[in-house]
Amino acid sequence: MISVVMITYNHEKYIEKAIESVLMQEGDFEFELLIGNDKSPDNTEKILEKYKDNKRIKIFNREKNLGATENIYDLYLKSKGDYIAILEGDDYWITKDKLQKQLEILEKNKDGILCYTNSIVVDENNNKFDGKTVGTMCITNLNSLLINAGRIPTGTILYKNLYKEKDKMEKVNKLLHSSEIISDLSLFAVLIKKGKFYKLNEYTGAYRYITDSKKSTSYSSRSTLYKEKELYKVYKGIAEYYEMKRLKKFFFVGRKEYRLLKEIKKTSERSEEYLVEERVFNNKLKKFIYILFSPLDNLFWSLNKKKYRK
């Protein structure tokens, strides 16, 4: 059994294409499609009504807006499959055998926990203008993951369901809830500790890149400051999850802290929230130590790029 989880918000223009791309999947497996509609104010709920009698589809119309992370996490916990695939409501798959081929890779490679593929990138009108690819065919550790994570198309992944281990989930839960919108990097950080990521070297999905925040709540539509703030939270969560020692944690989190501080200083939004954060992150001693040793930190990540990015 494969569980496909799909979160949606204001996707009336795209949701049918996403659902139909799941229903077209063929292979030697059963699947369920779980859809979390995060109280969309548009016609998404009305469109989902068309699928209410399909026994393979379970629709959860939220009574209140949960946010992307909580919405998808709830679907994870409801998933009955041995494997989970992710597809957001404005993305879609482009091949009928995507799940079958990924399933075969994970069944063949017992040390594998996740399989990813290449993806095309489309605009609001399905015009292709780019692609998302990871050159490496196998990601084996945290450093390799962090160098390549931004290039993994989340809408293409299939991974082993870890949520059945409910008695071991306290630390995992904390990391997965570290950001209100970035759930994939936290998930990847948990999974890479448990197994390898293998690549199916084909284009199987389409990621929709929308930059208008009025039309979308996707990561691509958010401001640079917001992204840096949420990434900082995730990196802090990863450091705690991996129980990094003091010096390693200082530089691991400090890199994101320093970038966030620069973005806060650039913003014209001088709200009290940002002023408080600026005072917190602008600790002169920490800043001096980080800047003093940052060439070594930069060298470390530069060497990792050469080693792990292809």
Side-chain angles (χ1 to χ4, degrees), residues 24-227:
M24 77 176 183
Q25 293 300 304
E26 299 173 350
D28 187 23
F29 57 86
E30 295 180 355
F31 72 84
E32 61 175 358
L33 171 59
L34 294 81
I35 304 174
N37 175 28
D38 206 13
K39 200 170 178 58
S40 299
D42 64 358
N43 290 315
T44 298
E45 184 173 346
K46 186 176 180 181
I47 294 168
L48 292 176
E49 279 285 308
K50 300 177 185 179
Y51 298 94
K52 66 179 182 179
D53 296 325
N54 190 313
K55 294 181 180 179
R56 293 184 294 181
I57 300 178
K58 298 175 182 177
I59 300 170
F60 303 92
N61 289 307
R62 310 300 189 184
E63 294 183 3
K64 64 177 183 178
N65 185 271
L66 301 178
T69 296
E70 192 59 44
N71 190 10
I72 199 168
Y73 184 73
D74 179 68
L75 297 182
Y76 291 155
L77 295 181
K78 288 180 167 63
S79 297
K80 296 179 179 179
D82 299 308
Y83 296 88
I84 294 177
I86 297 175
L87 184 66
E88 294 196 13
D90 55 348
D91 301 332
Y92 57 95
W93 293 334
I94 59 177
T95 62
K96 294 181 179 181
D97 55 0
K98 171 197 181 292
L99 294 180
Q100 178 63 35
K101 287 184 175 180
Q102 290 183 295
L103 187 61
E104 289 171 1
I105 287 175
L106 290 176
E107 291 289 312
K108 179 182 177 181
N109 297 283
K110 297 302 181 182
D111 60 349
I113 194 164
L114 180 147
C115 181
Y116 57 95
T117 82
N118 300 322
S119 175
I120 63 172
V121 179
V122 298
D123 64 15
E124 297 177 44
N125 299 309
N126 299 317
N127 298 310
K128 179 182 174 182
F129 66 91
D130 202 352
K132 291 189 77 173
T133 64
V134 181
T136 182
M137 295 297 291
C138 186
I139 294 173
T140 59
N141 56 48
L142 181 63
N143 285 340
S144 176
L145 169 66
L146 294 174
I147 294 300
N148 290 290
R151 302 159 76 197
I152 297 176
T154 306
T156 71
I157 68 169
L158 177 72
Y159 67 94
K160 292 179 181 177
N161 187 349
L162 72 149
Y163 306 99
K164 293 183 177 181
E165 304 174 11
K166 290 186 171 60
D167 58 327
K168 303 176 183 178
M169 293 295 289
E170 187 175 343
K171 284 180 66 179
V172 172
N173 291 346
K174 187 176 180 181
L175 175 54
L176 294 180
H177 285 85
S178 55
S179 166
E180 63 184 23
I181 191 169
I182 302 173
S183 59
D184 51 0
L185 181 55
S186 302
L187 174 64
F188 295 160
V190 171
L191 292 173
I192 199 62
K193 207 172 185 181
K194 298 174 180 291
K196 296 178 180 179
F197 294 8
Y198 284 94
K199 180 181 179 181
L200 168 63
N201 196 21
E202 297 181 12
Y203 285 86
T204 70
Y207 169 74
R208 197 176 300 280
Y209 189 81
I210 303 174
T211 57
D212 188 345
S213 60
K214 294 179 180 179
K215 297 180 180 179
S216 172
T217 57
S218 67
Y219 184 75
S220 59
S221 69
R222 300 303 183 111
S223 69
T224 302
L225 176 58
Y226 183 83
K227 292 176 186 177

Side-chain angles (χ1 to χ4, degrees), residues 266-295:
K266 276 195 270 181
T267 185
S268 59
E269 301 176 55
R270 309 311 291 168
S271 65
E272 182 59 28
E273 178 189 1
Y274 289 141
L275 290 172
V276 169
E277 288 180 343
E278 186 173 340
R279 286 195 292 271
V280 170
F281 295 129
N282 206 17
N283 180 295
K284 291 183 179 180
L285 179 59
K286 284 177 67 177
K287 187 177 175 182
F288 172 77
I289 294 173
Y290 181 78
I291 292 174
L292 182 64
F293 290 99
S294 61

